[in-house]
């Protein structure tokens, strides 16, 4: 059995349990934000895919991106829906459009929910999520500081 015969399962369902996403989560553990880029049409792709959703090529490689983006949409959760997240209520879930193009579903951190707004410039930060092991990319209002 090779590594390609099994799932790469580290806890969170969906995109975390596939070999296609393995490099993304390994880079996140190093606090690097990577996405796929198509070698045929040059589009940046997220979430990880087996083929390019724009041109259907399978010439996908991983590339580190700036981590800069803009809030496209958001919703703030005020009700304790899961015990692991109880201490974070209220928390804001956002769709962030990366400078390189892809739309990412993420948490907006270090921002009062009343100050979140569509069009807000944000930057990636890495931190833990309740009930999960590992480091996850999240976004905060852009500070202009380079870390």
């Amino acid at each position: 059995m090779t590594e390609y015969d099994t799932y790469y399962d580290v806890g969170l369902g969906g995109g975390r349990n596939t070999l296609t996403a393995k490099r993304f989560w390994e880079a996140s553990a190093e606090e690097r934000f990577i996405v796929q880029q198509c070698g045929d049409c040059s589009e940046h792709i997220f979430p990880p895919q087996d083929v390019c959703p724009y041109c259907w090529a399978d010439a996908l490689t991983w590339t580190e991106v700036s981590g800069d983006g803009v809030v496209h949409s958001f919703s703030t959760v005020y009700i304790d829906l899961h015990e692991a997240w109880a201490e974070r209520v209220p928390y804001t879930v956002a769709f962030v459009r990366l400078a390189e193009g892809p739309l990412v579903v993420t948490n907006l951190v270090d921002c009062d929910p009343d100050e979140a707004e569509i069009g807000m410039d944000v930057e990636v930060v890495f931190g833990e999520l309740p009930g999960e092991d590992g480091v996850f990319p999240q976004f905060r209002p852009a500070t202009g500081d380079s870390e």
Side-chain angles (χ1 to χ4, degrees), residues 35-113:
V35 300
Q36 292 173 305
Q37 186 171 20
C38 180
D40 284 3
C41 72
S42 299
E43 291 287 342
H44 288 85
I45 299 155
F46 191 86
Q49 304 290 320
D50 292 325
V51 296
C52 176
Y54 298 97
C55 72
W56 299 101
D58 63 358
L60 301 178
T61 59
W62 291 95
T63 185
E64 193 162 349
V65 292
S66 66
D68 296 331
V70 175
V71 173
H72 180 76
S73 180
F74 68 92
S75 182
T76 300
V77 178
Y78 291 94
I79 299 171
D80 175 12
L81 298 173
H82 191 282
E83 65 185 36
W85 287 80
E87 292 184 21
R88 282 223 180 164
V89 172
Y91 59 91
T92 302
V93 178
F95 283 85
V96 170
R97 174 79 60 195
L98 298 178
E100 293 80 8
L103 198 59
V104 177
V105 179
T106 185
N107 282 62
L108 187 59
V109 297
D110 301 332
C111 181
D112 186 286

